[in-house]
Amino acid sequence: MDPVCNCFSLRQATRRVTQLYDEAFAPLDLRATQYSLLRQVERRGPIALNPLAEIMVMGRATLGHNVRPLEQRGLLKLVVGEDRRSREVSITPAGRRALAKADALWQQAQETFENKIGAKEAAALRAMLHRVAATEFTLS
């Protein structure tokens, strides 16, 4: 791929930043994606899997793949939803404790990133990335 390719550049940057956060969360045996998932469920839960997949910008199957290990560790709980066809996920007390421990590690990763990139630049980057994530791209 050409270095001017948007997809290639975003994926390179994402992998680099993910490595930083994965390293920060390693003492808790958490990955950056798992931390984000726990945080979103904590903020919005209990929540059905389909809306959670939309928030996470993940396919439903990918979300299920990410929820299972956290459920097995007792950090998330999956139950049958109100309409009995859907599943709802919620955070457990153990999940809340894991998040509390992870917050200091997250802060350390945030500060490391901002020290390298700049706080103002990091804020501008987050705003742009939120805009990108909110955009529905379709080929015409």
Side-chain angles (χ1 to χ4, degrees):
M1 287 208 160
D2 193 313
V4 298
C5 174
N6 296 316
C7 185
F8 178 73
S9 296
L10 280 167
R11 291 183 62 86
Q12 261 187 323
T14 299
R15 284 190 291 270
R16 182 68 71 198
V17 174
T18 299
Q19 289 169 356
L20 167 65
Y21 284 78
D22 281 349
E23 181 182 339
F25 295 131
L28 300 178
D29 194 29
L30 275 181
R31 300 196 47 113
T33 52
Q34 293 173 321
Y35 173 81
S36 297
L37 182 55
L38 284 169
R39 178 61 66 209
Q40 293 308 312
V41 172
E42 187 253 348
R43 285 184 180 150
R44 294 175 166 88
I47 184 170
L49 290 176
N50 285 338
L52 181 58
E54 287 179 29
I55 291 164
M56 298 294 296
V57 190
M58 287 181 174
R60 171 69 173 69
T62 303
L63 178 63
H65 179 75
N66 282 277
V67 165
R68 271 190 293 283
L70 296 172
E71 182 185 24
Q72 289 168 350
R73 288 178 59 186
L75 304 179
L76 291 178
K77 184 171 130 183
L78 197 59
V79 297
V80 174
E82 287 183 26
D83 72 1
R84 310 207 40 84
R85 292 175 296 165
S86 68
R87 301 278 182 259
E88 286 187 347
V89 64
S90 58
I91 192 162
T92 65
R96 288 185 196 283
R97 288 190 299 274
L99 273 180
K101 291 177 186 173
D103 285 343
L105 302 173
W106 174 85
Q107 187 62 46
Q108 184 181 5
Q110 285 285 104
E111 289 171 6
T112 299
F113 182 87
E114 291 187 5
N115 287 339
K116 294 284 186 178
I117 301 300
K120 195 164 123 179
E121 292 83 352
L125 177 62
R126 282 190 304 276
M128 176 57 74
L129 292 173
H130 286 300
R131 184 174 160 208
V132 170
T135 302
E136 291 288 333
F137 295 99
T138 57
L139 295 176
S140 31

Short mmCIF file of all heavy atoms in Angstrom, two decimals, residues 41-92:
data_model
loop_
_atom_site.label_atom_id
_atom_site.label_comp_id
_atom_site.label_asym_id
_atom_site.label_seq_id
_atom_site.Cartn_x
_atom_site.Cartn_y
_atom_site.Cartn_z
N VAL A 41 -19.52 -0.56 28.59
CA VAL A 41 -20.59 -1.30 29.28
C VAL A 41 -20.85 -0.66 30.64
O VAL A 41 -22.00 -0.53 31.06
CB VAL A 41 -20.24 -2.80 29.40
CG1 VAL A 41 -21.26 -3.52 30.29
CG2 VAL A 41 -20.18 -3.45 28.02
N GLU A 42 -19.80 -0.25 31.32
CA GLU A 42 -19.96 0.40 32.63
C GLU A 42 -20.77 1.69 32.48
O GLU A 42 -21.64 1.98 33.30
CB GLU A 42 -18.58 0.68 33.23
CG GLU A 42 -18.61 1.19 34.65
CD GLU A 42 -18.29 2.66 34.76
OE1 GLU A 42 -17.81 3.27 33.77
OE2 GLU A 42 -18.55 3.22 35.83
N ARG A 43 -20.53 2.45 31.43
CA ARG A 43 -21.24 3.71 31.21
C ARG A 43 -22.67 3.52 30.76
O ARG A 43 -23.54 4.31 31.10
CB ARG A 43 -20.51 4.54 30.15
CG ARG A 43 -19.24 5.16 30.64
CD ARG A 43 -18.62 6.03 29.58
NE ARG A 43 -17.39 6.61 30.11
CZ ARG A 43 -16.35 6.93 29.38
NH1 ARG A 43 -16.36 6.76 28.07
NH2 ARG A 43 -15.27 7.44 29.93
N ARG A 44 -22.93 2.47 29.96
CA ARG A 44 -24.23 2.34 29.29
C ARG A 44 -25.04 1.12 29.71
O ARG A 44 -26.18 1.00 29.32
CB ARG A 44 -24.01 2.28 27.79
CG ARG A 44 -23.46 3.55 27.22
CD ARG A 44 -23.17 3.37 25.74
NE ARG A 44 -22.96 4.64 25.08
CZ ARG A 44 -21.80 5.25 24.98
NH1 ARG A 44 -20.73 4.70 25.51
NH2 ARG A 44 -21.68 6.40 24.35
N GLY A 45 -24.43 0.21 30.46
CA GLY A 45 -25.07 -1.06 30.74
C GLY A 45 -26.15 -1.00 31.78
O GLY A 45 -26.25 -0.02 32.51
N PRO A 46 -26.98 -2.03 31.85
CA PRO A 46 -26.98 -3.14 30.91
C PRO A 46 -27.42 -2.67 29.52
O PRO A 46 -28.28 -1.81 29.40
CB PRO A 46 -27.98 -4.14 31.49
CG PRO A 46 -28.66 -3.44 32.62
CD PRO A 46 -27.95 -2.17 32.91
N ILE A 47 -26.79 -3.25 28.51
CA ILE A 47 -27.03 -2.83 27.13
C ILE A 47 -27.07 -4.07 26.23
O ILE A 47 -26.30 -5.01 26.44
CB ILE A 47 -25.94 -1.82 26.66
CG1 ILE A 47 -26.24 -1.31 25.25
CG2 ILE A 47 -24.55 -2.41 26.78
CD1 ILE A 47 -25.34 -0.15 24.82
N ALA A 48 -27.98 -4.04 25.27
CA ALA A 48 -28.07 -5.14 24.31
C ALA A 48 -26.83 -5.15 23.43
O ALA A 48 -26.19 -4.11 23.21
CB ALA A 48 -29.33 -5.00 23.47
N LEU A 49 -26.49 -6.31 22.92
CA LEU A 49 -25.27 -6.45 22.14
C LEU A 49 -25.29 -5.66 20.84
O LEU A 49 -24.27 -5.08 20.46
CB LEU A 49 -24.98 -7.93 21.86
CG LEU A 49 -24.56 -8.75 23.09
CD1 LEU A 49 -24.39 -10.21 22.72
CD2 LEU A 49 -23.29 -8.19 23.71
N ASN A 50 -26.42 -5.60 20.14
CA ASN A 50 -26.45 -4.87 18.87
C ASN A 50 -26.15 -3.38 19.03
O ASN A 50 -25.30 -2.85 18.31
CB ASN A 50 -27.77 -5.11 18.13
CG ASN A 50 -27.82 -6.50 17.51
OD1 ASN A 50 -26.79 -7.12 17.26
ND2 ASN A 50 -29.02 -6.99 17.28
N PRO A 51 -26.80 -2.67 19.95
CA PRO A 51 -26.43 -1.26 20.13
C PRO A 51 -24.99 -1.08 20.62
O PRO A 51 -24.32 -0.13 20.23
CB PRO A 51 -27.42 -0.73 21.17
CG PRO A 51 -28.45 -1.76 21.34
CD PRO A 51 -27.96 -3.03 20.74
N LEU A 52 -24.52 -2.01 21.44
CA LEU A 52 -23.14 -1.93 21.90
C LEU A 52 -22.17 -2.11 20.73
O LEU A 52 -21.17 -1.40 20.64
CB LEU A 52 -22.87 -2.97 22.99
CG LEU A 52 -21.46 -2.98 23.58
CD1 LEU A 52 -21.09 -1.63 24.19
CD2 LEU A 52 -21.34 -4.09 24.62
N ALA A 53 -22.49 -3.03 19.83
CA ALA A 53 -21.65 -3.23 18.64
C ALA A 53 -21.59 -1.95 17.82
O ALA A 53 -20.52 -1.58 17.31
CB ALA A 53 -22.19 -4.39 17.81
N GLU A 54 -22.71 -1.25 17.70
CA GLU A 54 -22.73 0.02 16.96
C GLU A 54 -21.85 1.06 17.64
O GLU A 54 -21.08 1.75 16.98
CB GLU A 54 -24.16 0.55 16.84
CG GLU A 54 -25.01 -0.23 15.86
CD GLU A 54 -26.44 0.31 15.78
OE1 GLU A 54 -26.64 1.52 16.00
OE2 GLU A 54 -27.34 -0.50 15.49
N ILE A 55 -21.95 1.17 18.94
CA ILE A 55 -21.13 2.13 19.69
C ILE A 55 -19.65 1.82 19.50
O ILE A 55 -18.83 2.72 19.32
CB ILE A 55 -21.51 2.11 21.19
CG1 ILE A 55 -22.90 2.70 21.39
CG2 ILE A 55 -20.47 2.83 22.05
CD1 ILE A 55 -23.53 2.38 22.74
N MET A 56 -19.31 0.53 19.56
CA MET A 56 -17.91 0.10 19.45
C MET A 56 -17.42 0.09 18.00
O MET A 56 -16.23 -0.12 17.76
CB MET A 56 -17.74 -1.29 20.07
CG MET A 56 -18.06 -1.40 21.55
SD MET A 56 -16.93 -0.48 22.63
CE MET A 56 -15.39 -1.33 22.34
N VAL A 57 -18.32 0.29 17.05
CA VAL A 57 -18.03 0.21 15.61
C VAL A 57 -17.40 -1.16 15.31
O VAL A 57 -16.31 -1.28 14.77
CB VAL A 57 -17.16 1.38 15.10
CG1 VAL A 57 -17.10 1.39 13.57
CG2 VAL A 57 -17.66 2.72 15.61
N MET A 58 -18.14 -2.20 15.74
CA MET A 58 -17.72 -3.59 15.56
C MET A 58 -18.90 -4.37 15.00
O MET A 58 -20.05 -4.02 15.27
CB MET A 58 -17.40 -4.26 16.91
CG MET A 58 -16.16 -3.88 17.57
SD MET A 58 -16.02 -4.85 19.12
CE MET A 58 -14.39 -4.36 19.62
N GLY A 59 -18.59 -5.42 14.30
CA GLY A 59 -19.64 -6.35 13.92
C GLY A 59 -20.12 -7.09 15.15
O GLY A 59 -19.41 -7.21 16.15
N ARG A 60 -21.34 -7.59 15.08
CA ARG A 60 -21.94 -8.31 16.21
C ARG A 60 -21.11 -9.53 16.60
O ARG A 60 -20.89 -9.81 17.78
CB ARG A 60 -23.38 -8.67 15.84
CG ARG A 60 -24.13 -9.59 16.77
CD ARG A 60 -24.46 -8.95 18.10
NE ARG A 60 -25.32 -9.80 18.89
CZ ARG A 60 -24.95 -10.94 19.43
NH1 ARG A 60 -23.75 -11.41 19.27
NH2 ARG A 60 -25.79 -11.64 20.16
N ALA A 61 -20.61 -10.28 15.60
CA ALA A 61 -19.80 -11.47 15.87
C ALA A 61 -18.48 -11.09 16.53
O ALA A 61 -18.02 -11.75 17.47
CB ALA A 61 -19.55 -12.25 14.58
N THR A 62 -17.86 -10.01 16.07
CA THR A 62 -16.60 -9.54 16.66
C THR A 62 -16.82 -9.12 18.11
O THR A 62 -16.00 -9.42 18.98
CB THR A 62 -16.02 -8.37 15.85
OG1 THR A 62 -15.83 -8.81 14.49
CG2 THR A 62 -14.70 -7.90 16.42
N LEU A 63 -17.93 -8.44 18.35
CA LEU A 63 -18.24 -8.04 19.72
C LEU A 63 -18.39 -9.27 20.61
O LEU A 63 -17.83 -9.32 21.71
CB LEU A 63 -19.51 -7.20 19.77
CG LEU A 63 -19.93 -6.77 21.18
CD1 LEU A 63 -18.89 -5.87 21.82
CD2 LEU A 63 -21.29 -6.09 21.13
N GLY A 64 -19.13 -10.27 20.14
CA GLY A 64 -19.30 -11.50 20.91
C GLY A 64 -17.96 -12.15 21.22
O GLY A 64 -17.73 -12.64 22.33
N HIS A 65 -17.07 -12.13 20.24
CA HIS A 65 -15.72 -12.69 20.42
C HIS A 65 -14.95 -11.94 21.51
O HIS A 65 -14.14 -12.52 22.22
CB HIS A 65 -14.99 -12.63 19.07
CG HIS A 65 -13.60 -13.15 19.11
ND1 HIS A 65 -13.30 -14.49 19.18
CD2 HIS A 65 -12.40 -12.50 19.10
CE1 HIS A 65 -11.97 -14.64 19.20
NE2 HIS A 65 -11.43 -13.45 19.15
N ASN A 66 -15.21 -10.63 21.63
CA ASN A 66 -14.53 -9.82 22.64
C ASN A 66 -15.19 -9.89 24.01
O ASN A 66 -14.53 -9.72 25.03
CB ASN A 66 -14.46 -8.35 22.17
CG ASN A 66 -13.39 -8.13 21.15
OD1 ASN A 66 -12.22 -7.95 21.48
ND2 ASN A 66 -13.75 -8.17 19.88
N VAL A 67 -16.49 -10.15 24.03
CA VAL A 67 -17.22 -10.23 25.31
C VAL A 67 -16.91 -11.54 26.02
O VAL A 67 -16.75 -11.56 27.25
CB VAL A 67 -18.75 -10.07 25.07
CG1 VAL A 67 -19.54 -10.51 26.29
CG2 VAL A 67 -19.07 -8.63 24.72
N ARG A 68 -16.82 -12.64 25.28
CA ARG A 68 -16.65 -13.96 25.90
C ARG A 68 -15.51 -14.06 26.91
O ARG A 68 -15.73 -14.53 28.03
CB ARG A 68 -16.53 -15.04 24.83
CG ARG A 68 -17.88 -15.60 24.43
CD ARG A 68 -17.76 -16.83 23.53
NE ARG A 68 -17.21 -16.54 22.22
CZ ARG A 68 -17.89 -15.98 21.22
NH1 ARG A 68 -19.14 -15.64 21.37
NH2 ARG A 68 -17.32 -15.76 20.05
N PRO A 69 -14.29 -13.65 26.57
CA PRO A 69 -13.21 -13.78 27.58
C PRO A 69 -13.47 -12.94 28.83
O PRO A 69 -13.11 -13.36 29.93
CB PRO A 69 -11.96 -13.28 26.86
CG PRO A 69 -12.30 -13.12 25.43
CD PRO A 69 -13.78 -13.15 25.30
N LEU A 70 -14.09 -11.78 28.67
CA LEU A 70 -14.40 -10.95 29.83
C LEU A 70 -15.51 -11.57 30.68
O LEU A 70 -15.50 -11.46 31.90
CB LEU A 70 -14.78 -9.53 29.38
CG LEU A 70 -13.66 -8.77 28.68
CD1 LEU A 70 -14.18 -7.47 28.08
CD2 LEU A 70 -12.49 -8.52 29.61
N GLU A 71 -16.43 -12.24 30.02
CA GLU A 71 -17.47 -12.96 30.75
C GLU A 71 -16.86 -14.15 31.49
O GLU A 71 -17.17 -14.38 32.66
CB GLU A 71 -18.55 -13.44 29.76
CG GLU A 71 -19.69 -14.15 30.43
CD GLU A 71 -20.69 -14.73 29.45
OE1 GLU A 71 -20.33 -14.99 28.28
OE2 GLU A 71 -21.84 -14.94 29.86
N GLN A 72 -15.96 -14.87 30.84
CA GLN A 72 -15.31 -16.03 31.48
C GLN A 72 -14.49 -15.61 32.70
O GLN A 72 -14.39 -16.35 33.67
CB GLN A 72 -14.43 -16.76 30.47
CG GLN A 72 -15.22 -17.49 29.42
CD GLN A 72 -14.35 -17.98 28.26
OE1 GLN A 72 -13.18 -17.63 28.12
NE2 GLN A 72 -14.94 -18.80 27.40
N ARG A 73 -13.93 -14.41 32.66
CA ARG A 73 -13.15 -13.89 33.79
C ARG A 73 -14.05 -13.28 34.87
O ARG A 73 -13.54 -12.82 35.90
CB ARG A 73 -12.15 -12.84 33.30
CG ARG A 73 -11.01 -13.43 32.52
CD ARG A 73 -10.07 -12.39 32.00
NE ARG A 73 -9.48 -11.58 33.06
CZ ARG A 73 -8.70 -10.52 32.84
NH1 ARG A 73 -8.43 -10.15 31.60
NH2 ARG A 73 -8.20 -9.85 33.85
N GLY A 74 -15.34 -13.23 34.62
CA GLY A 74 -16.27 -12.69 35.60
C GLY A 74 -16.33 -11.18 35.62
O GLY A 74 -16.83 -10.59 36.58
N LEU A 75 -15.85 -10.52 34.55
CA LEU A 75 -15.85 -9.07 34.51
C LEU A 75 -17.11 -8.51 33.86
O LEU A 75 -17.50 -7.38 34.15
CB LEU A 75 -14.61 -8.56 33.76
CG LEU A 75 -13.26 -9.06 34.31
CD1 LEU A 75 -12.11 -8.52 33.48
CD2 LEU A 75 -13.10 -8.68 35.77
N LEU A 76 -17.71 -9.30 32.98
CA LEU A 76 -18.99 -8.95 32.35
C LEU A 76 -19.96 -10.09 32.56
O LEU A 76 -19.56 -11.23 32.73
CB LEU A 76 -18.81 -8.71 30.84
CG LEU A 76 -18.03 -7.49 30.41
CD1 LEU A 76 -17.91 -7.45 28.88
CD2 LEU A 76 -18.66 -6.20 30.92
N LYS A 77 -21.25 -9.73 32.51
CA LYS A 77 -22.30 -10.74 32.63
C LYS A 77 -23.23 -10.59 31.43
O LYS A 77 -23.64 -9.48 31.09
CB LYS A 77 -23.08 -10.49 33.93
CG LYS A 77 -24.14 -11.52 34.23
CD LYS A 77 -24.67 -11.28 35.63
CE LYS A 77 -26.17 -11.23 35.60
NZ LYS A 77 -26.78 -10.94 36.88
N LEU A 78 -23.54 -11.71 30.79
CA LEU A 78 -24.41 -11.74 29.62
C LEU A 78 -25.70 -12.47 30.00
O LEU A 78 -25.64 -13.58 30.53
CB LEU A 78 -23.69 -12.47 28.49
CG LEU A 78 -24.20 -12.31 27.07
CD1 LEU A 78 -24.18 -10.85 26.64
CD2 LEU A 78 -23.33 -13.13 26.13
N VAL A 79 -26.83 -11.82 29.77
CA VAL A 79 -28.12 -12.41 30.11
C VAL A 79 -29.08 -12.25 28.93
O VAL A 79 -28.87 -11.42 28.06
CB VAL A 79 -28.75 -11.78 31.38
CG1 VAL A 79 -27.88 -12.03 32.60
CG2 VAL A 79 -29.01 -10.31 31.19
N VAL A 80 -30.14 -13.04 28.95
CA VAL A 80 -31.18 -12.93 27.93
C VAL A 80 -31.88 -11.59 28.12
O VAL A 80 -32.21 -11.20 29.24
CB VAL A 80 -32.18 -14.10 28.06
CG1 VAL A 80 -33.35 -13.91 27.09
CG2 VAL A 80 -31.48 -15.42 27.81
N GLY A 81 -32.10 -10.88 27.00
CA GLY A 81 -32.74 -9.57 27.05
C GLY A 81 -34.23 -9.65 27.28
O GLY A 81 -34.81 -10.74 27.37
N GLU A 82 -34.87 -8.49 27.35
CA GLU A 82 -36.31 -8.42 27.62
C GLU A 82 -37.14 -9.14 26.57
O GLU A 82 -38.15 -9.75 26.89
CB GLU A 82 -36.74 -6.96 27.72
CG GLU A 82 -36.29 -6.29 29.00
CD GLU A 82 -36.80 -4.87 29.10
OE1 GLU A 82 -37.84 -4.55 28.49
OE2 GLU A 82 -36.14 -4.09 29.80
N ASP A 83 -36.74 -9.04 25.29
CA ASP A 83 -37.55 -9.67 24.24
C ASP A 83 -37.16 -11.13 24.01
O ASP A 83 -37.65 -11.77 23.09
CB ASP A 83 -37.50 -8.87 22.94
CG ASP A 83 -36.15 -8.97 22.23
OD1 ASP A 83 -35.25 -9.67 22.72
OD2 ASP A 83 -36.01 -8.35 21.17
N ARG A 84 -36.28 -11.66 24.81
CA ARG A 84 -35.84 -13.07 24.82
C ARG A 84 -35.07 -13.47 23.57
O ARG A 84 -34.57 -14.57 23.49
CB ARG A 84 -37.01 -14.02 25.09
CG ARG A 84 -37.81 -13.59 26.31
CD ARG A 84 -38.54 -14.63 27.08
NE ARG A 84 -37.95 -15.92 27.32
CZ ARG A 84 -37.11 -16.21 28.32
NH1 ARG A 84 -36.70 -15.27 29.13
NH2 ARG A 84 -36.68 -17.42 28.49
N ARG A 85 -34.99 -12.60 22.55
CA ARG A 85 -34.19 -12.91 21.36
C ARG A 85 -32.83 -12.23 21.43
O ARG A 85 -31.92 -12.61 20.73
CB ARG A 85 -34.91 -12.45 20.08
CG ARG A 85 -36.16 -13.26 19.79
CD ARG A 85 -36.86 -12.69 18.60
NE ARG A 85 -37.31 -11.33 18.93
CZ ARG A 85 -37.71 -10.41 18.07
NH1 ARG A 85 -37.74 -10.67 16.79
NH2 ARG A 85 -38.10 -9.22 18.48
N SER A 86 -32.74 -11.19 22.25
CA SER A 86 -31.49 -10.44 22.34
C SER A 86 -30.74 -10.82 23.61
O SER A 86 -31.27 -11.45 24.51
CB SER A 86 -31.77 -8.94 22.32
OG SER A 86 -32.43 -8.55 23.49
N ARG A 87 -29.50 -10.43 23.66
CA ARG A 87 -28.65 -10.63 24.83
C ARG A 87 -28.24 -9.26 25.35
O ARG A 87 -27.96 -8.36 24.57
CB ARG A 87 -27.40 -11.43 24.48
CG ARG A 87 -27.68 -12.81 23.91
CD ARG A 87 -27.96 -13.78 25.04
NE ARG A 87 -28.19 -15.12 24.56
CZ ARG A 87 -29.38 -15.67 24.43
NH1 ARG A 87 -30.46 -14.99 24.73
NH2 ARG A 87 -29.52 -16.90 24.01
N GLU A 88 -28.20 -9.12 26.67
CA GLU A 88 -27.75 -7.89 27.29
C GLU A 88 -26.49 -8.17 28.09
O GLU A 88 -26.38 -9.20 28.74
CB GLU A 88 -28.82 -7.31 28.22
CG GLU A 88 -29.96 -6.69 27.50
CD GLU A 88 -30.92 -5.99 28.45
OE1 GLU A 88 -30.83 -6.19 29.68
OE2 GLU A 88 -31.76 -5.24 27.94
N VAL A 89 -25.59 -7.21 28.05
CA VAL A 89 -24.35 -7.34 28.78
C VAL A 89 -24.30 -6.25 29.85
O VAL A 89 -24.77 -5.14 29.65
CB VAL A 89 -23.13 -7.27 27.82
CG1 VAL A 89 -23.02 -5.94 27.13
CG2 VAL A 89 -21.84 -7.63 28.53
N SER A 90 -23.78 -6.62 31.01
CA SER A 90 -23.60 -5.66 32.10
C SER A 90 -22.26 -5.95 32.77
O SER A 90 -21.70 -7.04 32.65
CB SER A 90 -24.75 -5.75 33.10
OG SER A 90 -24.84 -7.05 33.63
N ILE A 91 -21.78 -4.95 33.48
CA ILE A 91 -20.50 -5.10 34.17
C ILE A 91 -20.77 -5.68 35.57
O ILE A 91 -21.78 -5.38 36.19
CB ILE A 91 -19.74 -3.76 34.23
CG1 ILE A 91 -18.30 -3.97 34.68
CG2 ILE A 91 -20.49 -2.75 35.09
CD1 ILE A 91 -17.39 -2.80 34.36
N THR A 92 -19.87 -6.51 36.01
CA THR A 92 -19.98 -7.14 37.32
C THR A 92 -19.18 -6.32 38.34
O THR A 92 -18.38 -5.45 37.96
CB THR A 92 -19.41 -8.57 37.30
OG1 THR A 92 -18.00 -8.48 37.03
CG2 THR A 92 -20.10 -9.43 36.24
#
